Amino acid sequence: MSPPQQQQRSVAELLEHLHLESSQPPDERFAWLHRHSQHTQHPLVQFEFSKTHLTLRIVPKRLRRTGDRGRKSASHEKAPSTGSSSSSSEEGEKPRDPIFMKLQWDEVLGAHLQMACGQPLCRRSIVPRRVYMLALYACPSEGLMTNGSQQHHHHLHHHKDDLPTKRRLREWTFRFYGDEIERVTQLHHALNKWADPRRDSLEEIHTQALFKPDEAISGPQRKFRVLIDPSEGAGWSLRKYEQFVAPMFRVANIETTLEITADVERIREIAKQLPLNHFECVAVAGGDNYLHEFIQGLMARPDWKQAIRQPLGILPIDSGSANGLAASVAHHGHENLDLVNSAFTLVKGRPQDLDITS
């Protein structure tokens, strides 16, 4: 029998002893690492947190407990050192396991617990030996990951400096059993907290105590007000929003209040009645004129000096000449001008001052 598992007191200790089985093969951006590898297409992975990156490493067989090799998720204990260990192990250095995936925290949107069928997980219906899923969502660039051992960082996104970054929403799922729900919930909370752009960038995972069972996912719920111009994009604005933008807001744990209107007076009225400090962002899915009318409503308020500080975002339904402001924002952030990149900027970006009069 294996010795009883030691009680973890911090998230870092929990991550060190938690392995989940991936439902997908290793990220294609790291294909050069796995070309001659004997690892399974659905390996056990371990999550590593740093200030800037989330790294998932493939768990080598030497660190897996014998009784857990057939399980879909497993805990492990460090294997004792032997005389055949490498020199780095003898010196006390941790061997570097193959990378399954590596993401910048600026690319990670959030994580969700799901049933095996993909539906949201209800904690009250957990069955110990049933399989569940942890889904991780990110919006990385489509550039390749290269072996930059001669550079300051080991792995960098490779794309031409004169080309904007093109992104797409990605999902990875990891299997676990119901009897591990408490530990996986801790990982779930940690992923959402570190993916939140409001997090202190200097915070260390080693100082993070275990989350309370009833603790919120990542602090106060983020709230966006979304206004959609139904006439934009040849009348396909709502469908494009639901296809490209709404899923990103959902996986990033953002609550949205949606309104569809093309009435100029209604747009201004919404701006005049907008409660300040309630919405983290007002996202306008329309052209420059649509946003201009909303700003006119803010400027007509008695408290316009405070109201004009409300963070605004623009979602370009199409890339025509009526989206000059969206093009400028995308160019400033070195992002591609499309809905996915624009939604990503709203989810992960921070408010910046913008001169809209000169």
Side-chain angles (χ1 to χ4, degrees):
M1 294 179 59
S2 59
Q5 181 182 348
Q6 186 178 4
Q7 183 71 24
Q8 285 92 20
R9 298 182 180 180
S10 68
V11 175
E13 293 180 15
L14 181 143
L15 294 177
E16 188 177 356
H17 295 83
L18 178 63
H19 299 159
L20 302 180
E21 184 192 43
S22 169
S23 302
Q24 296 94 359
D27 195 306
E28 65 270 14
R29 296 182 298 168
F30 295 93
W32 60 274
L33 282 173
H34 307 283
R35 190 170 301 156
H36 304 293
S37 174
Q38 300 299 318
H39 292 291
T40 174
Q41 288 297 299
H42 303 284
L44 290 181
V45 298
Q46 180 179 3
F47 290 73
E48 291 184 2
F49 285 50
S50 70
K51 291 182 180 179
T52 58
H53 286 83
L54 169 65
T55 305
L56 277 66
R57 295 189 179 275
I58 298 177
V59 180
K61 292 183 178 180
R62 60 183 173 81
L63 293 182
R64 303 182 191 180
R65 281 165 45 180
T66 305
D68 289 335
R69 289 184 180 178
R71 293 176 52 125
K72 297 191 182 301
S73 61
S75 302
H76 83 280
E77 298 173 6
K78 292 185 178 179
S81 59
T82 62
S84 60
S85 300
S86 62
S87 58
S88 61
S89 298
E90 293 176 353
E91 295 174 359
E93 297 180 2
K94 183 178 179 181
R96 307 304 292 172
D97 300 328
I99 292 178
F100 174 83
M101 178 176 62
K102 187 173 185 179
L103 295 166
Q104 298 179 22
W105 283 118
D106 288 341
E107 300 172 329
V108 181
L109 300 182
H112 291 261
L113 297 177
Q114 301 176 350
M115 305 285 287
C117 61
Q119 295 297 317
L121 178 62
C122 178
R123 290 288 303 272
R124 291 175 293 182
S125 61
I126 296 294
V127 178
R129 297 301 298 171
R130 183 171 294 175
V131 175
Y132 300 97
M133 298 284 192
L134 171 70
L136 175 66
Y137 298 92
C139 206
S141 66
E142 294 187 350
L144 297 176
M145 303 295 288
T146 60
N147 186 2
S149 57
Q150 302 299 324
Q151 304 180 33
H152 179 67
H153 296 287
H154 291 293
H155 300 89
L156 296 173
H157 287 294
H158 175 67
H159 59 78
K160 296 182 179 179
D161 293 337
D162 57 342
L163 293 179
T165 302
K166 185 172 179 60
R167 303 182 183 275
R168 64 187 178 102
L169 180 61
R170 298 284 304 276
E171 177 188 20
W172 296 268
T173 54
F174 305 91
R175 303 185 184 102
F176 66 94
Y177 280 125
D179 54 9
E180 293 189 310
I181 185 62
E182 298 300 331
R183 296 194 299 161
V184 176
T185 298
Q186 293 288 332
L187 172 60
H188 170 236
H189 287 335
L191 288 170
N192 281 318
K193 180 175 181 179
W194 256 254
D196 194 324
R198 300 170 296 178
R199 175 183 66 90
D200 183 0
S201 59
L202 299 179
E203 190 172 5
E204 293 273 7
I205 189 65
H206 302 287
T207 62
Q208 176 64 61
L210 292 178
F211 297 92
K212 298 179 181 178
D214 57 347
E215 191 166 356
I217 292 178
S218 57
Q221 180 75 37
R222 303 177 67 189
K223 296 181 180 181
F224 280 16
R225 186 79 156 93
V226 181
L227 303 177
I228 297 180
D229 182 359
S231 62
E232 188 75 9
W236 292 84
S237 54
L238 178 59
R239 185 167 182 176
K240 288 185 176 181
Y241 170 83
E242 292 176 341
Q243 180 180 357
F244 298 106
V245 181
M248 296 185 64
F249 288 169
R250 178 182 60 81
V251 300
N253 302 297
I254 294 175
E255 178 185 336
T256 58
T257 302
L258 178 66
E259 181 159 345
I260 305 170
T261 180
D263 183 17
V264 173
E265 292 301 324
R266 175 56 185 162
I267 298 171
R268 294 184 179 182
E269 190 65 24
I270 293 173
K272 293 177 182 179
Q273 298 178 358
L274 183 74
L276 301 183
N277 302 319
H278 182 73
F279 294 104
E280 183 178 333
C281 176
V282 176
V284 176
D288 292 348
N289 289 337
Y290 201 74
L291 180 62
H292 175 75
E293 297 298 340
F294 185 84
I295 294 175
Q296 289 296 316
L298 293 178
M299 295 298 294
R301 296 170 56 129
D303 58 347
W304 65 270
K305 290 185 178 181
Q306 292 77 34
I308 200 62
R309 305 298 300 176
Q310 167 67 48
L312 303 176
I314 188 165
L315 297 168
I317 299 300
D318 55 40
S319 56
S321 59
N323 287 284
L325 180 58
S328 298
V329 173
H331 177 76
H332 179 74
H334 204 73
E335 298 284 341
N336 195 54
L337 179 60
D338 59 27
L339 275 176
V340 173
N341 283 62
S342 298
F344 170 80
T345 301
L346 298 187
V347 171
K348 300 295 292 186
R350 298 180 183 274
Q352 296 184 7
D353 291 335
L354 179 65
D355 184 0
I356 59 175
T357 60
S358 61

